[in-house]
Amino acid sequence: MLPTPPTELQQELDTAVKLAREAGALLLSHLARGITVEHKTSAEDTVTAADREASALIVAGLKAAFPGDGLLSEEETDTPENQRERLGRERVWIVDPIDGTNDFIRGSSDFSVSIGLAVGGEPMLGVVFAPASGELFAGVAGTGGTGTGVTKNGERMGVGTRSGGTNDPFVVAISGTEYKRELHLHNLPGMKPSGSIALKLARIAAGEADATFTMSPRSEWDIAAGHALLRASGGELLRRDGLPIRYNQPSPHIEQGIVGGQPDALVWLTAELAARALPTAHLGLEESALAWASLPRADQAALAGHGGVNVRHAGGQTLALLVVNPATRTVERAEGDAFHLSRLTRDVVRALGPLVPGPLNEQLQGPHGG
């Protein structure tokens, strides 16, 4: 079944815009009266009452308007019942009530409300609202990826507009956290650190930057709306191995880092990342994946068919290996450079939850390591 044409999604777009604005107003009210911070899997993985209340507002509004659609929100438990229901739906709303919660907590303006609609696994509609700055991006992708373009605060931004002149370097919007931790050590040109990935993608779609990438994996709710906006503007978002991203999967966590942008910038950035051998994680590694070749031959033979192989790799080499029992989350092997192992452990914990050190891995730092 082909995705729904853009002209048939006006009600959906109007509803998502309305709910994003309402959720944004709620978030600003929380900022005005103070925020209580909680932690999920680690000190970096934060949540607030504002996240939960904004999620409840958006989910209730979508259920009322489109009762036949599936729903996936970062702050709503994806119970087995909900998973079965959404996996059986052609249309699924994918919501992040606050993308960039740490920025929200710090009082930075670099957070957003992200509401996306996937149809048949494809990102088709996106609304990203930055409440602190008042920027609202909206767009609908068409069949085959291209769409109607993107609006910012109601103004049409065009399709594939360059952020600068034709002779200017590409602007690469990157994670501020990844920049502080390791990207500052690399000489990739044009890097511009910031917070919310949804907002990065929206700004690329609107021509305010050209491309983006991550080292760590992201989840569907982080990127669904921004991905739809990119496609509406003629751009694309891919996994770091170049394969497409599909939505409404049994596990809503993308297995590896991502790379995206407008076509010419995406081609350039993909080549630059390969030339500089910039790392990325690959979680749940299978033998069919390109990253499987980064494992030593002995490990390829020993780990074939194992469901919990996780690596951080670059330049065809494994930098860190974490093998986890999928049923018990017990660490069976933890090897590699200490820095890269701490990064990989963080990525696995975010996807699976806290790990249980095995008898040979008591030194593993778990979710707070690195």
Side-chain angles (χ1 to χ4, degrees), residues 305-329:
H306 195 295
V309 179
N310 308 283
V311 299
R312 199 172 205 246
H313 66 98
Q317 301 295 318
T318 293
L319 304 173
L321 170 67
L322 191 63
V323 182
V324 178
N325 183 305
T328 64
R329 297 205 296 266

Side-chain angles (χ1 to χ4, degrees), residues 32-108:
R33 63 179 184 263
I35 302 168
T36 300
V37 180
E38 302 172 29
H39 299 92
K40 293 189 278 189
T41 63
S42 74
E44 295 177 342
D45 193 5
T46 53
V47 67
T48 69
D51 293 79
R52 297 190 179 102
E53 290 179 23
S55 180
L57 183 156
I58 295 168
V59 168
L62 292 173
K63 283 183 176 179
F66 309 106
D69 292 351
L71 283 161
L72 175 65
S73 172
E74 179 178 15
E75 304 308 335
E76 307 292 325
T77 302
D78 191 29
T79 63
E81 292 77 15
N82 184 72
Q83 186 182 94
R84 284 194 297 271
E85 181 179 353
R86 68 176 175 82
L87 291 176
R89 304 287 185 177
E90 179 74 4
R91 301 188 354 153
V92 178
W93 293 92
I94 303 174
V95 176
D96 194 345
I98 308 180
D99 184 55
T101 299
N102 288 329
D103 292 280
F104 173 72
I105 292 166
R106 288 193 294 264
S108 165

Side-chain angles (χ1 to χ4, degrees), residues 294-368:
S294 72
L295 292 169
R297 288 189 179 276
D299 283 338
Q300 291 183 33
L303 296 173
H306 195 295
V309 179
N310 308 283
V311 299
R312 199 172 205 246
H313 66 98
Q317 301 295 318
T318 293
L319 304 173
L321 170 67
L322 191 63
V323 182
V324 178
N325 183 305
T328 64
R329 297 205 296 266
T330 301
V331 176
E332 298 175 355
R333 289 177 61 182
E335 303 170 2
D337 173 87
F339 173 81
H340 292 294
L341 183 58
S342 72
R343 292 300 92 214
L344 178 60
T345 301
R346 172 187 178 274
D347 293 339
V348 174
V349 168
R350 278 183 170 251
L352 298 182
L355 303 179
V356 180
L360 300 179
N361 296 284
E362 295 296 336
Q363 78 282 5
L364 190 69
Q365 293 298 307
H368 299 288

